[in-house]
Amino acid sequence: MVSMETRDELEAIDSEIRDLVAKRLRLTTQTDRMMSKSDSALAGRKYERELLHSLSDNEDYNLENCERMMFQTLFNISHSYCSSQNGKKSELSELIKSAMDNTSPEFPKSALVACQGVEGAYSQKAADRLFQAANIMYFRTFDGVFKAVESGLVKYGVLPIENSSYGSVTQVYDLMKSHRFNIVRSVKLQISHKLLAKPGTDFSQIKEVFSHEQAIGQCSQFLKDNKDIKVTIVANTAVAAQMVADSPREDVAAISSQDCCELYGLEIISDKIQNSDHNYTRFICISKDLEIYPGASKISIMLAIGHTPGSLSDTLARFSALGLNLTKLESRPILGRDFEFMFYLDVEASVYSEAVITLLCQLDQDPAAFTFLGSYSEV
């Protein structure tokens, strides 16, 4: 128990700290306005480096670490505060406001939608969950879906983004760097893989299994237990089922869905093949134009962060300061740059919050690459 005397002393210290932080932020802002942007940045960096270096004189190593974290956090807060006080209107804030004003109050019931694969693909099932009457155009690759949306050939595209048991669909994340798009909605779909073969085929006959690499990963234990069966990666689980149906061979099978079993006239020879019954894949719905529908509660962004110690933690601290929950953090290497990464973040946040808009605009104004991918809800 903390005594009343100690509590009073702590409250007095905390009150003093609060006043001093407010005074420091005002002084920092005044100084920032009186100097050019480059002079202010150089002077600030020099001062911060010297102060952090002086902490190494402390004989108490634990106290030194605490002081270092405290001052680094204070510096980050100062940078954010100065940026928010510069009075400049960000193009991003205007873009988001325009999208909120001009987007229909209801998500469309029907649309021309691009999906990867063929009829029966899980992307098609996701599209049918998102739209009451989706007119689906199929493409051989994920890149084809992105290009169809980007060119205006279709209104929307549906892409798998991550699986609960096998992780991110890295192909999609890698393609995000080279395409312009906006996420308008997401959906979580339960996945139930089956081993499909031609009617009358016995499991003992199977010598080769076709499927997508995600499905193969989600059924890795089953395949490990049956090492004699050759595994062949194909473009899609529905494509795998179609290949089995069209093959003249009787010793092939597909890891696919119940829907594909019925669609391609196959038979389930095993339904206990996936690593976990709790198996879900999250799909995103993308569009060329930014659309923000009422109730949007999730924000996705991608950004490049300087290859310096603490740069990632400094960025994440900005979200933590607003009490925002990061639900996804994915990193992918930037081709041609040694040990530099593009980060993808999903945040539980609303663009109806001025504090959130301010943070997004600050990130958008940073020298490093930043892309706002959308604000949307998940169904």
Side-chain angles (χ1 to χ4, degrees):
M1 291 287 291
V2 178
S3 68
M4 286 299 296
E5 183 179 345
T6 302
R7 177 170 176 170
D8 289 343
E9 188 175 359
L10 287 172
E11 287 182 351
I13 292 171
D14 290 341
S15 179
E16 187 176 356
I17 290 173
R18 183 179 179 183
D19 291 340
L20 289 171
V21 168
K23 183 177 181 181
R24 187 189 196 283
L25 292 177
R26 287 194 295 270
L27 286 171
T28 305
T29 305
Q30 290 171 11
T31 304
D32 190 61
R33 285 173 178 169
M34 289 187 294
M35 302 173 69
S36 70
K37 188 172 182 180
S38 60
D39 287 344
S40 176
L42 290 172
R45 179 66 63 87
K46 183 174 184 295
Y47 170 76
E48 291 170 8
R49 192 183 299 277
E50 289 174 350
L51 190 145
L52 292 174
H53 177 71
S54 70
L55 300 178
S56 59
D57 296 336
N58 199 320
E59 294 182 359
D60 186 335
Y61 183 71
N62 289 328
L63 181 59
E64 177 193 329
N65 277 342
C66 291
E67 289 176 343
R68 192 175 297 278
M69 285 189 291
M70 179 191 70
F71 278 109
Q72 189 63 66
T73 300
L74 184 58
F75 296 154
N76 291 335
I77 292 171
S78 294
H79 298 324
S80 295
Y81 186 77
C82 286
S83 178
S84 67
Q85 298 298 306
N86 63 18
K88 294 180 181 176
K89 275 289 183 182
S90 166
E91 290 182 10
L92 177 60
S93 66
E94 296 301 321
L95 181 66
I96 291 172
K97 184 179 183 304
S98 176
M100 289 191 292
D101 291 341
N102 297 317
T103 301
S104 169
E106 290 187 4
F107 194 74
K109 292 181 172 59
S110 63
L112 182 59
V113 184
C115 291
Q116 185 265 347
V118 295
E119 190 71 21
Y122 283 110
S123 290
Q124 174 238 304
K125 293 182 69 175
D128 288 339
R129 280 280 304 277
L130 289 162
F131 302 92
Q132 289 183 14
N135 182 12
I136 298 176
M137 184 179 291
Y138 291 101
F139 293 83
R140 188 173 58 84
T141 64
F142 293 136
D143 189 49
V145 174
F146 275 110
K147 287 178 178 177
V149 171
E150 200 171 28
S151 67
L153 178 63
V154 298
K155 179 67 175 174
Y156 300 104
V158 173
L159 295 156
I161 198 78
E162 63 179 323
N163 177 264
S164 58
S165 62
Y166 195 61
S168 300
V169 184
T170 55
Q171 288 174 283
V172 174
Y173 277 107
D174 285 336
L175 287 166
M176 285 183 178
K177 297 193 290 278
S178 55
H179 293 285
R180 298 296 297 177
F181 65 96
N182 297 279
I183 303 174
V184 297
R185 187 144 293 195
S186 66
V187 62
K188 193 181 291 184
L189 195 69
Q190 185 169 21
I191 305 298
S192 181
H193 293 305
K194 317 290 184 185
L195 188 66
L196 310 182
K198 291 180 179 179
T201 303
D202 188 76
F203 179 74
S204 61
Q205 295 176 252
I206 302 302
K207 294 181 180 179
E208 186 173 5
V209 167
F210 305 137
S211 200
H212 185 266
E213 65 175 322
Q214 273 278 332
I216 289 168
Q218 294 159 32
C219 302
S220 59
Q221 189 57 53
F222 166 78
L223 295 170
K224 185 178 179 181
D225 293 340
N226 294 275
K227 294 180 180 178
D228 292 337
I229 297 177
K230 179 184 176 182
V231 176
T232 299
I233 295 174
V234 298
N236 188 273
T237 54
V239 169
Q242 187 182 56
M243 288 174 65
V244 170
D246 293 343
S247 174
R249 294 169 58 185
E250 302 292 331
D251 60 352
V252 291
I255 294 177
S256 193
S257 66
Q258 174 78 45
D259 287 353
C260 285
C261 176
E262 298 166 4
L263 184 63
Y264 294 106
L266 301 176
E267 188 176 275
I268 297 173
I269 57 175
S270 179
D271 61 358
K272 300 293 184 183
I273 62 171
Q274 58 188 29
N275 298 345
S276 171
D277 290 333
H278 187 79
N279 190 20
Y280 292 84
T281 294
R282 182 170 165 248
F283 295 80
I284 54 172
C285 180
I286 64 172
S287 71
K288 181 179 181 179
D289 300 320
L290 179 61
E291 299 175 359
I292 301 177
Y293 291 91
S297 59
K298 180 172 285 193
I299 292 171
S300 291
I301 62 175
M302 61 180 180
L303 49 86
I305 298 174
H307 187 48
T308 56
S311 57
L312 177 59
S313 62
D314 291 348
T315 300
L316 298 183
R318 299 191 189 190
F319 294 92
S320 178
L322 295 181
L324 302 178
N325 182 34
L326 291 175
T327 58
K328 176 74 175 179
L329 175 61
E330 178 77 18
S331 65
R332 300 300 300 160
I334 300 175
L335 293 178
R337 301 187 193 176
D338 291 340
F339 303 107
E340 290 191 37
F341 296 86
M342 185 69 77
F343 290 88
Y344 303 82
L345 287 77
D346 288 343
V347 191
E348 289 181 346
S350 171
V351 288
Y352 295 93
S353 164
E354 280 298 324
V356 171
I357 290 292
T358 298
L359 172 59
L360 293 173
C361 291
Q362 289 170 3
L363 293 171
D364 187 38
Q365 292 168 10
D366 282 350
F370 172 85
T371 303
F372 175 75
L373 296 177
S375 175
Y376 54 96
S377 58
E378 186 164 285
V379 296

